[in-house]
Amino acid sequence: DAGVTQSPTHLIKTRGQQVTLRCSPKSGHDTVSWYQQALGQGPQFIFQYYEEEERQRGNFPDRFSGHQFPNYSSELNVNALLLGDSALYLCASSSHRVQQYFGPGTRLTVT
Amino acid sequence: SQQGEEDPQALSIQEGENATMNCSYKTSINNLQWYRQNSGRGLVHLILIRSNEREKHSGRLRVTLDTSKKSSSLLITASRAADTASYFCATDANQGAQKLVFGQGTRLTINP
């Protein structure tokens, strides 16, 4: 049984560009949450998707948007990248409000 | 913003010793969870304690929760080199909402 997978593993972008990160949830899970973890900090909640809709959102600007597909996979999009967007982006999946399982993350570097 | 603080920020002990990490938080919670993270990769769930519980055990892990002080502690007994990692507490304010709010973490180093 595959766990949560994320792609790509690493990504380098330039300021002002746009980026899309992808997440496939653990089998049987229908809820996907995204977190941003800056270097040396704890993860911060970006938003959560359930039934293809954004259910909750953290304190992040509209440059951060997402999508969930009918197969429960999800994308995180960030527009107009800033240097401060450099971070590890973590995806977590869950079902029926039980424990979340985290993926390995995507390391985004903005230059 | 972070929910609370973890103490200490870094801890270095000898293999075989016990390691204790503390977490404080600011708002009422439904549950508190502890996670481990190796080398800046994905988070591994260690243990969940609900707001109506005071202590929970899992293998070499012991977690306590004091809701009156808004604090929790994680004890790792008989530490091993493989326990070297960053440890985070995370609070979930609403039952099942799973909007986790993390602390800044404790970097634990186990010296052989």
Side-chain angles (χ1 to χ4, degrees):
Chain A
D1 176 26
V4 180
T5 60
Q6 294 187 241
S7 63
T9 305
H10 296 89
L11 201 54
I12 300 174
K13 290 286 188 178
T14 304
R15 275 181 301 175
Q17 287 189 316
Q18 179 264 344
V19 68
T20 297
L21 310 181
R22 295 176 176 82
C23 172
S24 291
K26 185 177 170 64
S27 178
H29 286 184
D30 56 9
T31 303
V32 173
S33 301
W34 287 91
Y35 293 81
Q36 179 196 66
Q37 185 179 21
L39 194 64
Q41 302 293 314
Q44 292 198 36
F45 177 82
I46 303 175
F47 42 53
Q48 181 182 85
Y49 277 84
Y50 173 71
E51 292 187 341
E52 302 180 49
E53 293 202 356
E54 184 181 290
R55 183 163 69 175
Q56 299 186 83
R57 189 178 182 91
N59 188 26
F60 278 80
D62 292 344
R63 298 187 298 109
F64 290 76
S65 63
H67 189 78
Q68 185 178 34
F69 299 93
N71 67 353
Y72 307 117
S73 67
S74 177
E75 289 181 349
L76 164 65
N77 301 293
V78 186
N79 296 321
L81 284 167
L82 305 173
L83 294 179
D85 295 331
S86 294
L88 180 68
Y89 288 85
L90 296 162
C91 168
S93 74
S94 61
S95 178
H96 303 296
R97 299 182 170 187
V98 295
Q99 177 192 329
Q100 294 186 67
Y101 289 80
F102 281 80
T106 293
R107 174 73 64 185
L108 172 65
T109 301
V110 182
T111 63
Chain B
S1 61
Q2 305 290 153
Q3 159 74 294
E5 298 179 357
E6 284 165 274
D7 170 51
Q9 291 187 357
L11 179 62
S12 180
I13 62 173
Q14 295 300 119
E15 194 168 18
E17 294 180 339
N18 295 340
T20 300
M21 290 159 270
N22 302 296
C23 165
S24 62
Y25 56 92
K26 299 175 183 176
T27 62
S28 297
I29 61 171
N30 175 268
N31 65 72
L32 185 145
Q33 302 174 39
W34 285 89
Y35 286 83
R36 184 184 74 228
Q37 185 176 43
N38 292 85
S39 303
R41 298 304 289 171
L43 296 166
V44 174
H45 185 268
L46 296 176
I47 198 165
L48 179 152
I49 186 166
R50 303 189 186 282
S51 60
N52 61 353
E53 298 176 310
R54 292 297 168 258
E55 187 172 314
K56 204 162 184 179
H57 296 256
S58 177
R60 294 184 296 114
L61 306 180
R62 171 179 171 257
V63 169
T64 61
L65 178 65
D66 186 336
T67 53
S68 66
K69 295 181 179 179
K70 292 187 169 58
S71 67
S72 175
S73 67
L74 170 68
L75 168 67
I76 303 175
T77 60
S79 63
R80 306 167 181 169
D83 295 329
T84 294
S86 291
Y87 291 80
F88 295 90
C89 67
T91 54
D92 190 355
N94 300 311
Q95 183 177 2
Q98 299 185 337
K99 179 182 175 181
L100 296 179
V101 181
F102 286 83
Q104 294 191 334
T106 293
R107 174 68 189 168
L108 175 64
T109 301
I110 308 299
N111 302 304

